[in-house]
Amino acid sequence: MAQDDPRPLTLRDVSEASGVSEMTVSRVLRNRGDVSAGTREKVLEAAKALGYVPNKIAGALASQRVNLVAVIIPSLRNMVFPEVMTGISRVLEETELQPVVGVTDYLPEKEERVLYEMLSWRPSGVIIAGLEHTDASRAMLKASGIPVVEIMDVDGTPIDTAVGISHRRAGREMAKAILKAGYQRIGFMGTKMPLDHRARKRFEGFTELLAKSGVEMADQEFYSGGSALKKGRDMTREMLERTEDLDFLYYSNDMIGAGGLLYLLEAGIDVPGRVGLAGFNGVELLQGLPRQLCTMDACRDEIGTKAAQIIAQRVFDPAAEYERVVEMTPTISYGDTLKRR
């Protein structure tokens, strides 16, 4: 059973931490009244360190909550997260709770701003993608006094509760399948690696398993744009021109993998005999391709469903027991682009 939630922070906590009166703290946080720059900075620094977020519900008691669940995700363009939202919405629509969505574009500083604004409305819970956050975001989540579920990833220590898959394990499992099929000259193509921590962890797990098997990554390329068919086509062409003897291409997501598949088919390259391919996410839209791309299900709907169930359970029964870490098990769909042996 998880520990009891901490009490919500109050103006008094910020007042004591900054050495400034509660009235002055209130003026600073509401941006009202004549307060010196030095005092303002002292109050804001104390509030940020504590993770304090002002209550925007006019006249509300500090303990009052609204029936909203803040859902903070990196992107709505990425087809992964609408499926997560489907699972969340399906559970919450059976309750009095309503999800409200904030998008961070994979930017930690933007996540911090979105979280600050959402917490100021005193939601009943938070569902937030990933385990990596700024110190200020972590402080706000810890100090919120409400259930927090970090989703999509379990490779790390959650602030409260985590629901997701092990991306390092996912990378290792795909590497095992590729090596078992007899491929040895492997290239990797990834998107948003500096910011997408889950893609980075899959890459780390993948290369770790290859290294243990005595296989070095033959080529790799990363780019900072969004997932795109055209980018997958271009990267695949360039990589095969650069490293002609590659026999397998592993992509950080299905969309660039689909672009790679289309390029290979148009170029008349035998798939999976001459070059095998695999992506990640199990995007249903791509089932209409001429060949089924080998991929791995990220358990998106299940993750959203479980996260919402945990929030609802804890909101309506604060004493209920719950799991701190819920790990889902993704499965490989071999499709037509990975030889089976």
Side-chain angles (χ1 to χ4, degrees):
M1 179 175 175
Q3 294 180 348
D4 292 338
D5 294 324
R7 67 172 179 81
L9 292 172
T10 65
L11 284 177
R12 177 174 295 180
D13 295 304
V14 182
S15 171
E16 292 175 354
S18 62
V20 175
S21 71
E22 289 184 46
M23 183 176 294
T24 301
V25 168
S26 177
R27 286 174 181 165
V28 170
L29 296 178
R30 290 186 295 118
N31 200 25
R32 303 281 177 84
D34 185 18
V35 182
S36 71
T39 299
R40 182 177 301 277
E41 183 178 356
K42 187 185 300 183
V43 170
L44 292 176
E45 285 182 357
K48 184 172 184 177
L50 288 172
Y52 177 80
V53 179
N55 190 341
K56 283 188 176 177
I57 305 173
L61 296 174
S63 60
Q64 184 173 342
R65 301 287 174 193
V66 294
N67 288 332
L68 298 175
V69 175
V71 181
I72 302 174
I73 56 177
S75 172
L76 283 173
R77 290 179 296 179
N78 186 330
M79 281 180 277
V80 168
F81 295 103
E83 290 191 37
V84 174
M85 286 302 307
T86 297
I88 293 172
S89 298
R90 187 171 56 247
V91 172
L92 295 187
E93 69 184 8
E94 301 297 326
T95 73
E96 297 176 356
L97 301 171
Q98 292 290 330
V100 57
V101 181
V103 179
T104 69
D105 296 320
Y106 290 92
L107 300 174
E109 297 78 12
K110 186 173 181 180
E111 178 184 86
E112 190 177 305
R113 295 195 301 271
V114 170
L115 181 61
Y116 181 91
E117 287 300 322
M118 286 194 161
L119 288 178
S120 71
W121 290 101
R122 294 301 189 263
S124 294
V126 175
I127 297 174
I128 186 168
L131 295 168
E132 288 77 18
H133 315 285
T134 66
D135 289 343
S137 290
R138 292 185 66 83
M140 284 188 282
L141 289 167
K142 287 180 178 179
S144 66
I146 57 178
V148 174
V149 181
E150 292 164 285
I151 59 171
M152 312 306 292
D153 192 2
V154 296
D155 292 318
T157 303
I159 291 168
D160 183 4
T161 307
V163 178
I165 68 169
S166 168
H167 288 267
R168 288 194 175 91
R169 181 172 297 139
R172 291 195 297 269
E173 290 302 314
M174 185 60 79
K176 286 180 186 177
I178 293 169
L179 294 176
K180 183 178 180 181
Y183 298 103
Q184 291 287 306
R185 295 288 294 164
I186 302 166
F188 177 87
M189 280 167 265
T191 175
K192 288 185 178 293
M193 295 298 283
L195 297 174
D196 189 340
H197 298 285
R198 294 172 291 285
R200 172 181 55 78
K201 290 172 183 178
R202 288 196 301 278
F203 178 69
E204 290 170 354
F206 187 78
T207 54
E208 173 190 304
L209 194 284
L210 292 185
K212 287 183 178 179
S213 303
V215 176
E216 290 186 14
M217 186 73 72
D219 201 347
Q220 59 193 52
E221 184 175 348
F222 309 97
Y223 80 107
S224 59
S227 306
L229 287 171
K230 184 178 186 306
K231 192 64 181 180
R233 295 169 71 110
D234 294 343
M235 291 170 70
T236 300
R237 183 189 70 253
E238 292 164 4
M239 183 171 286
L240 288 176
E241 289 174 352
R242 183 170 64 235
T243 312
E244 296 180 358
D245 65 341
L246 291 176
D247 63 9
F248 201 92
L249 301 173
Y250 180 41
Y251 300 85
S252 70
N253 64 66
D254 285 349
M255 293 306 293
I256 54 175
L261 173 61
L262 292 174
Y263 167 76
L264 292 172
L265 294 178
E266 288 180 7
I269 297 173
D270 179 17
V271 178
R274 166 66 182 84
V275 178
L277 304 174
F280 181 83
N281 276 329
V283 176
E284 186 176 354
L285 175 68
L286 300 181
Q287 291 179 6
L289 288 171
R291 304 271 181 89
Q292 290 301 299
L293 180 68
C294 174
T295 187
M296 182 176 277
D297 174 27
C299 306
R300 299 179 296 280
D301 187 277
E302 297 94 324
I303 288 171
T305 298
K306 185 63 177 179
Q309 288 172 343
I310 291 172
I311 291 289
Q313 178 188 37
R314 293 175 60 188
V315 167
F316 298 114
D317 183 6
E321 294 188 3
Y322 59 93
E323 298 173 84
R324 183 170 171 79
V325 176
V326 180
E327 181 176 346
M328 307 288 182
T329 303
T331 56
I332 295 177
S333 298
Y334 287 84
D336 306 315
T337 65
L338 176 61
K339 293 182 292 190
R340 301 293 298 272
R341 291 189 178 179

